[in-house]
Amino acid sequence: MLRIPLTIFLSLFVNAALAEKDLSPASWPDGVLQAYHDQMMGEPGLAAKLKATSAGFETHGREGIVATTSGPLAVQAGIETLRQGGTAMDAALTVALAQVVLHAGGATSFAGQLLVVYFDSANKNVEALNASYATVLGEDDPLTIPVYGNPSGRAVLTPGFMAGVEEAHGRYGALSFSSLFEPAIYFAKEGFPVSAGFRGLLENRKQVVTRLPSGRAIFLNDDGEFPAIGSTFRQPVVAALLSNVATQGADYMYKGPWAEKFVTAVRKHEGKISKQDLADYRPDWNQPLHANINGHDVYGGGGLLEVLRLAEIAGMGESQHYSQDAKQTYEMIKISRVGQVLGPNLAGDSLSPEIINKALPDISLEPSLRYTDENAAKVYQAMSTPAWAEIEQKADVLAIEQAKTVAKLIAGFGERKKEEPEIDENARPDHTAGIVVVDSKGNMAALVHSVTSAIWGELGLFVDGVSVVDPGAFSQFNINRIGPGQKLLESSPGCPAIALRDGVATAGCGAVGASYDTFAHQGLVNLLLYELPHQEAALQPMFRKNWPPGVPLRQPQGEGEFEADIIKAVRDLGIDITSVEDPDQATHGSVFVGAGTARSGQLEGGITSGTHAKYILDSTGLIQGY
């Protein structure tokens, strides 16, 4: 009689149990999938049937909660993952994979980048995973990488998304790796309904997605037209790719058949990427920076922690909300722009340290000292000095010159008819998805993944259905600074981030859009300093990022926004800002999503949606609990 050791038997038993998990939408409860389809197509009243709400609202849960900035079907996939015993990490990764398919590789890509902050409730540990793009080993002259608007393979960087998914699951996943792909494979194979928003994006980016045969094969019907609103959009080539990754692991994309196709395709477009770039890629685990903010242990990027420290020093949260007082609004805007002054700015560049140190000798720019309580106090004192105003003006000039360069090259997308075009506020339209998940054990995952380019980029290249975007087209200065083979992002200036109170995850955040960092700053100030419930925090007015530089910040007025008299008073105090009645005329906002455990023990969340939401595929940011 064959005897099987107990440990092997248990392993086989566990693996068999994992294999039985079925996350495919084909197995979702009756009516759920159709109700989501109806919601995506704008049918009224159906969201209530799912306990799902659109941007600007929130739901609660006792066992688990999934919050994200886009993709209603992806939210349900996350909930099903939690219900079948998945961890917060399992659910967040399932959502992310499904989102890429639902975005058709536009706002997010399997060849994009990924950042994660995770709280493991069992050992009270917080870790961050950096799976951002890596710079290309063979790129020896990054300042000559063609600027956005000039499609070039040299702007393609080494992707981190899929390697990050595998690495994150390996450390904190409970379900099988392959099961996480089931919803994404289903949506790729069986398709999803074409909404007016999705069709509009295809029309808006037609010159990109139809530029090359690989894009035309995906998005055009036999008659040469985009799929009609209400039809079903399928991606069978993507389904096959995901099936291979699900069974063979991320190596399929980094060392296997896809890697070879990817390198060959990019190099045909003058790219310098090689097989070695992909084979050598490794995501990095690290301990995120930490700050104690009003009794909350906050973990995230240095830029975010710096702003939260300054907001606390400024007394935010001690009285009425800053949006009700012009002087406090003015101060909060100035605080949120500190990164633009001390660096890095939106292009990843900054004034030289010598210029800053000469004017502000007491402030440290050394990363190990920059984001400390002591340095924040010095920064706050300096912000009211003439020296700060001088440096701020120089930083604005630098940003304006960079924006003009981008605008000149983007004008007409290859037509180059304007000698001095106006700065287009879409000149750096990076796109992203933010996700926050809490499971029944109190684990929290905060995740952001992105193409970090325009939707579908500018190259218009697809490899086995995977969009190949071009973040290097506006990161030349940063690539030159960090050198070849290095992660593009050292940390995020905004989300993802996680906050704990007494060892319980009270807030995690994701933010997307042109104003993602300023929305992240304000969202967490509302949650941590004013200690507002997630829904109430999400409904507070939020100012936009000053983009493009060199023109007034156009702030919408009306319900849920800053009052016109507050905006006027802020302008009188010295910030170039004006109010507009039509939200479509406002400077791009963002979508901020947060979720966490309230003092009552109930899980809750909220979403703040700015005008940028119209650029998100199926712009229904959702939160759902159970």
Side-chain angles (χ1 to χ4, degrees), residues 169-191:
H169 171 266
R171 183 163 297 201
Y172 291 113
L175 303 186
S176 66
F177 181 67
S178 61
S179 67
L180 308 186
F181 288 77
E182 290 173 0
I185 291 172
Y186 177 92
F187 295 133
K189 185 178 181 179
E190 302 299 329

Short mmCIF file of all heavy atoms in Angstrom, two decimals, residues 169-191:
data_model
loop_
_atom_site.label_atom_id
_atom_site.label_comp_id
_atom_site.label_asym_id
_atom_site.label_seq_id
_atom_site.Cartn_x
_atom_site.Cartn_y
_atom_site.Cartn_z
N HIS A 169 1.42 38.47 -5.12
CA HIS A 169 0.63 37.29 -4.80
C HIS A 169 1.47 36.26 -4.06
O HIS A 169 1.00 35.62 -3.10
CB HIS A 169 0.07 36.66 -6.08
CG HIS A 169 -0.56 35.32 -5.85
ND1 HIS A 169 0.13 34.13 -6.01
CD2 HIS A 169 -1.81 34.97 -5.44
CE1 HIS A 169 -0.67 33.13 -5.72
NE2 HIS A 169 -1.85 33.60 -5.38
N GLY A 170 2.72 36.09 -4.47
CA GLY A 170 3.59 35.11 -3.83
C GLY A 170 3.79 35.38 -2.35
O GLY A 170 3.95 34.44 -1.56
N ARG A 171 3.75 36.64 -1.96
CA ARG A 171 4.00 36.97 -0.56
C ARG A 171 2.71 37.01 0.26
O ARG A 171 2.70 36.59 1.42
CB ARG A 171 4.72 38.31 -0.45
CG ARG A 171 5.08 38.67 1.00
CD ARG A 171 6.14 39.75 1.12
NE ARG A 171 7.41 39.35 0.55
CZ ARG A 171 8.58 39.92 0.87
NH1 ARG A 171 8.63 40.88 1.77
NH2 ARG A 171 9.69 39.52 0.29
N TYR A 172 1.62 37.51 -0.32
CA TYR A 172 0.42 37.75 0.49
C TYR A 172 -0.85 37.14 -0.09
O TYR A 172 -1.94 37.44 0.38
CB TYR A 172 0.22 39.25 0.69
CG TYR A 172 1.27 39.88 1.58
CD1 TYR A 172 2.19 40.79 1.08
CD2 TYR A 172 1.34 39.55 2.94
CE1 TYR A 172 3.16 41.37 1.89
CE2 TYR A 172 2.30 40.12 3.76
CZ TYR A 172 3.21 41.03 3.23
OH TYR A 172 4.17 41.59 4.05
N GLY A 173 -0.74 36.29 -1.08
CA GLY A 173 -1.92 35.66 -1.65
C GLY A 173 -2.27 34.37 -0.95
O GLY A 173 -1.41 33.69 -0.39
N ALA A 174 -3.55 34.01 -1.00
CA ALA A 174 -4.03 32.75 -0.42
C ALA A 174 -4.64 31.84 -1.48
O ALA A 174 -4.57 30.63 -1.39
CB ALA A 174 -5.05 33.02 0.69
N LEU A 175 -5.26 32.43 -2.51
CA LEU A 175 -5.83 31.64 -3.59
C LEU A 175 -4.73 31.30 -4.59
O LEU A 175 -3.64 31.86 -4.57
CB LEU A 175 -6.94 32.42 -4.27
CG LEU A 175 -8.11 32.89 -3.39
CD1 LEU A 175 -9.19 33.53 -4.25
CD2 LEU A 175 -8.67 31.76 -2.55
N SER A 176 -5.02 30.39 -5.49
CA SER A 176 -4.04 30.03 -6.51
C SER A 176 -3.81 31.23 -7.44
O SER A 176 -4.71 32.04 -7.68
CB SER A 176 -4.53 28.83 -7.33
OG SER A 176 -5.68 29.18 -8.08
N PHE A 177 -2.60 31.32 -7.97
CA PHE A 177 -2.24 32.41 -8.87
C PHE A 177 -3.16 32.44 -10.09
O PHE A 177 -3.66 33.49 -10.50
CB PHE A 177 -0.77 32.26 -9.29
CG PHE A 177 -0.26 33.33 -10.20
CD1 PHE A 177 -0.12 34.63 -9.76
CD2 PHE A 177 0.09 33.03 -11.51
CE1 PHE A 177 0.37 35.63 -10.60
CE2 PHE A 177 0.59 34.01 -12.36
CZ PHE A 177 0.72 35.32 -11.90
N SER A 178 -3.43 31.27 -10.64
CA SER A 178 -4.23 31.21 -11.87
C SER A 178 -5.66 31.69 -11.65
O SER A 178 -6.28 32.25 -12.56
CB SER A 178 -4.24 29.78 -12.43
OG SER A 178 -4.81 28.88 -11.51
N SER A 179 -6.20 31.48 -10.44
CA SER A 179 -7.59 31.87 -10.20
C SER A 179 -7.79 33.38 -10.29
O SER A 179 -8.87 33.86 -10.66
CB SER A 179 -8.06 31.37 -8.83
OG SER A 179 -7.38 32.02 -7.77
N LEU A 180 -6.75 34.15 -9.99
CA LEU A 180 -6.86 35.60 -10.03
C LEU A 180 -7.12 36.10 -11.45
O LEU A 180 -7.65 37.21 -11.64
CB LEU A 180 -5.59 36.27 -9.50
CG LEU A 180 -5.06 35.82 -8.14
CD1 LEU A 180 -3.90 36.70 -7.73
CD2 LEU A 180 -6.15 35.84 -7.08
N PHE A 181 -6.76 35.31 -12.45
CA PHE A 181 -6.89 35.71 -13.85
C PHE A 181 -8.28 35.40 -14.42
O PHE A 181 -8.61 35.85 -15.53
CB PHE A 181 -5.83 35.00 -14.70
CG PHE A 181 -4.44 35.50 -14.49
CD1 PHE A 181 -3.71 35.14 -13.35
CD2 PHE A 181 -3.83 36.33 -15.41
CE1 PHE A 181 -2.42 35.59 -13.15
CE2 PHE A 181 -2.54 36.79 -15.23
CZ PHE A 181 -1.84 36.43 -14.09
N GLU A 182 -9.08 34.61 -13.70
CA GLU A 182 -10.32 34.13 -14.28
C GLU A 182 -11.27 35.25 -14.71
O GLU A 182 -11.82 35.20 -15.83
CB GLU A 182 -11.01 33.17 -13.31
CG GLU A 182 -10.26 31.85 -13.18
CD GLU A 182 -10.82 30.93 -12.10
OE1 GLU A 182 -11.82 31.33 -11.45
OE2 GLU A 182 -10.27 29.84 -11.91
N PRO A 183 -11.51 36.27 -13.88
CA PRO A 183 -12.40 37.34 -14.35
C PRO A 183 -11.83 38.07 -15.57
O PRO A 183 -12.56 38.35 -16.53
CB PRO A 183 -12.51 38.27 -13.15
CG PRO A 183 -12.25 37.40 -11.97
CD PRO A 183 -11.19 36.44 -12.44
N ALA A 184 -10.53 38.36 -15.56
CA ALA A 184 -9.92 39.07 -16.69
C ALA A 184 -10.02 38.23 -17.97
O ALA A 184 -10.35 38.76 -19.04
CB ALA A 184 -8.46 39.39 -16.38
N ILE A 185 -9.76 36.94 -17.86
CA ILE A 185 -9.85 36.06 -19.04
C ILE A 185 -11.29 36.02 -19.55
O ILE A 185 -11.54 36.07 -20.76
CB ILE A 185 -9.34 34.66 -18.70
CG1 ILE A 185 -7.82 34.69 -18.46
CG2 ILE A 185 -9.68 33.67 -19.82
CD1 ILE A 185 -7.25 33.38 -17.93
N TYR A 186 -12.23 35.95 -18.62
CA TYR A 186 -13.65 35.92 -19.03
C TYR A 186 -14.02 37.18 -19.79
O TYR A 186 -14.63 37.12 -20.87
CB TYR A 186 -14.53 35.76 -17.80
CG TYR A 186 -16.02 35.79 -18.11
CD1 TYR A 186 -16.71 34.61 -18.37
CD2 TYR A 186 -16.72 36.99 -18.18
CE1 TYR A 186 -18.06 34.62 -18.67
CE2 TYR A 186 -18.07 37.02 -18.48
CZ TYR A 186 -18.74 35.84 -18.73
OH TYR A 186 -20.08 35.86 -19.04
N PHE A 187 -13.66 38.36 -19.25
CA PHE A 187 -14.03 39.61 -19.91
C PHE A 187 -13.31 39.79 -21.25
O PHE A 187 -13.83 40.44 -22.15
CB PHE A 187 -13.73 40.79 -18.99
CG PHE A 187 -14.56 40.83 -17.75
CD1 PHE A 187 -13.98 41.05 -16.51
CD2 PHE A 187 -15.93 40.62 -17.81
CE1 PHE A 187 -14.74 41.07 -15.35
CE2 PHE A 187 -16.71 40.63 -16.66
CZ PHE A 187 -16.11 40.86 -15.43
N ALA A 188 -12.11 39.22 -21.36
CA ALA A 188 -11.40 39.30 -22.63
C ALA A 188 -12.04 38.37 -23.67
O ALA A 188 -12.22 38.75 -24.83
CB ALA A 188 -9.93 38.95 -22.44
N LYS A 189 -12.40 37.17 -23.24
CA LYS A 189 -12.95 36.18 -24.16
C LYS A 189 -14.42 36.43 -24.49
O LYS A 189 -14.81 36.42 -25.67
CB LYS A 189 -12.77 34.78 -23.57
CG LYS A 189 -13.20 33.65 -24.49
CD LYS A 189 -12.94 32.29 -23.84
CE LYS A 189 -13.35 31.16 -24.77
NZ LYS A 189 -13.09 29.83 -24.16
N GLU A 190 -15.22 36.66 -23.46
CA GLU A 190 -16.67 36.83 -23.65
C GLU A 190 -17.04 38.28 -23.94
O GLU A 190 -18.10 38.55 -24.49
CB GLU A 190 -17.43 36.33 -22.42
CG GLU A 190 -17.17 34.87 -22.08
CD GLU A 190 -17.58 33.94 -23.20
OE1 GLU A 190 -18.55 34.26 -23.92
OE2 GLU A 190 -16.93 32.88 -23.35
N GLY A 191 -16.17 39.20 -23.56
CA GLY A 191 -16.39 40.60 -23.87
C GLY A 191 -17.18 41.35 -22.82
O GLY A 191 -17.62 40.80 -21.81
#
